[in-house]
Amino acid sequence: SMKVVSGGSDAKVLCWSVEDYQTSLETKGKRLQARTRFVGHTDNVEDCVFKPGNSDVCCSVGDDKLILIWDARVGENYVSKVSNAHKDDINCCSINKINPNYVLTGSSDTTIKLLDLRKLGSGHINIMEDASAIVHVFEHHTTSVLNVKWSPNDSRYFSSTSEEIPLCIWDTKIKNDTDIIGEPELLFRHMGHKAPVVDFAWNSNIEEPWLFTTVSDSSDQGGGTMQVWRISDFVTQVENEEFTNRVYELACLSEFGKSNKNGTKSGKSVDSDEVSQL
């Protein structure tokens, strides 16, 4: 898409088209104008994102504790609204790329909330009257949640950062085309930085779905670094029966080799490198 959505301290959400840039150059001094101006927030807009695969629909959040859904085809007014979804400013939001019915929001109240857009309907919705719109609350951070991002490869997982050092990875237990199938949980915490992670990217290549790039803020203890890392298969493949069986087989062969007084092993051999690569 050639469209860009932005939010600002003027409480407005603006939708732009890069295609209009060439037109704006034809007249000297003419500035690029927003195609659509969404009006509905009453305080700073902290984050806004398009619905994956649809540049007419977007979600925005702000310091007014509102979650608003917009559709440029309808007009400048929001089509769905969630009031007081959090107890403090809402700093970030993310729409699931694979199952766009699910939206994450992160707040200064230290929580992350998972919403199902199918439960919102259209028009004005007050979350205190329709709590079913929030299907789960993730609690682990102890400071303001500043960033949340869904995995581009699997609808189950997302990552989050806050004013603390760790980057957290969560398992929502959402299957691609079904509802939540289990109790969501914290899967992993990356503790490699010496200062809070200010931004991160989740690899979109399905061949390396657990590869990350993270950058940290500078501090008296260090920081100001970029790291490229991946999660061990021992964390991500625990539900893979073939993988767990292979690990068990290698562990048994390794233990058998240690118990052999002559230092030789009969039957199938096992290489330590093979174990370390799992």
Side-chain angles (χ1 to χ4, degrees):
S1 174
M2 299 293 286
K3 291 183 179 180
V4 176
V5 64
S6 64
S9 57
D10 59 359
K12 292 183 176 63
V13 177
L14 305 181
C15 184
W16 313 76
S17 176
V18 179
E19 295 175 341
D20 296 337
Y21 177 70
Q22 187 64 39
T23 304
S24 68
L25 292 179
E26 294 177 358
T27 303
K28 185 176 181 180
K30 184 178 179 180
R31 300 179 61 182
L32 182 65
Q33 299 294 320
R35 283 196 174 185
T36 310
R37 298 173 180 268
F38 298 120
V39 180
H41 283 286
T42 59
D43 206 337
N44 298 336
V45 178
E46 294 290 350
D47 198 9
C48 45
V49 292
F50 281 122
K51 183 178 181 179
N54 189 340
S55 59
D56 288 318
V57 179
C58 63
C59 172
S60 63
V61 296
D63 293 347
D64 52 10
K65 308 180 188 64
L66 293 178
I67 303 172
L68 300 180
I69 306 297
W70 313 86
D71 190 334
R73 297 166 298 186
V74 175
E76 297 182 350
N77 296 321
Y78 51 80
V79 294
S80 293
K81 172 183 176 182
V82 179
S83 300
N84 300 312
H86 288 271
K87 297 178 180 179
D88 207 336
D89 301 350
I90 306 178
N91 303 316
C92 50
C93 60
S94 180
I95 302 179
N96 195 309
K97 177 181 178 181
I98 300 171
N99 191 337
N101 292 311
Y102 291 107
V103 176
L104 291 167
T105 58
S107 170
S108 294
D109 66 9
T110 75
T111 67
I112 301 167
K113 296 193 176 182
L114 174 63
L115 288 84
D116 187 343
L117 295 181
R118 292 169 295 187
K119 299 180 182 295
L120 292 179
S122 61
H124 296 222
I125 302 286
N126 189 310
I127 199 62
M128 302 306 292
E129 299 175 0
D130 186 11
S132 62
I134 295 179
V135 295
H136 194 77
V137 180
F138 299 89
E139 297 179 299
H140 176 76
H141 293 289
T142 59
T143 58
S144 298
V145 178
L146 302 179
N147 204 345
V148 290
K149 291 181 182 178
W150 286 102
S151 164
N153 304 301
D154 195 315
S155 63
R156 285 180 58 168
Y157 305 101
F158 75 90
S159 45
S160 63
T161 59
S162 67
E163 294 175 345
E164 307 160 296
I165 290 177
L167 176 142
C168 295
I169 299 175
W170 306 80
D171 182 359
T172 66
K173 303 298 178 66
I174 295 175
K175 286 296 186 181
N176 290 351
D177 298 314
T178 62
D179 293 326
I180 297 175
I181 59 170
E183 183 65 21
E185 62 182 354
L186 179 64
L187 180 68
F188 181 79
R189 295 199 310 161
H190 177 61
M191 302 289 293
H193 288 280
K194 296 182 179 180
V197 174
V198 294
D199 201 5
F200 61 92
W202 199 319
N203 185 27
S204 59
N205 187 340
I206 192 63
E207 298 298 324
E208 281 284 357
W210 295 102
L211 184 67
F212 287 84
T213 299
T214 52
V215 290
S216 67
D217 201 355
S218 58
S219 69
D220 296 337
Q221 290 74 39
T225 62
M226 180 180 75
Q227 298 180 3
V228 179
W229 52 276
R230 70 183 296 273
I231 306 176
S232 169
D233 288 342
F234 284 105
V235 176
T236 62
Q237 298 295 322
V238 291
E239 295 181 359
N240 186 326
E241 184 176 352
E242 181 180 350
F243 175 82
T244 54
N245 288 340
R246 181 59 176 155
V247 170
Y248 179 75
E249 177 186 356
L250 291 173
C252 291
L253 290 171
S254 179
E255 187 63 29
F256 175 74
K258 292 178 182 179
S259 64
N260 191 314
K261 295 182 180 180
N262 296 326
T264 59
K265 302 182 283 292
S266 59
K268 185 176 181 179
S269 63
V270 58
D271 190 336
S272 61
D273 290 338
E274 186 175 7
V275 177
S276 64
Q277 290 174 3
L278 289 174

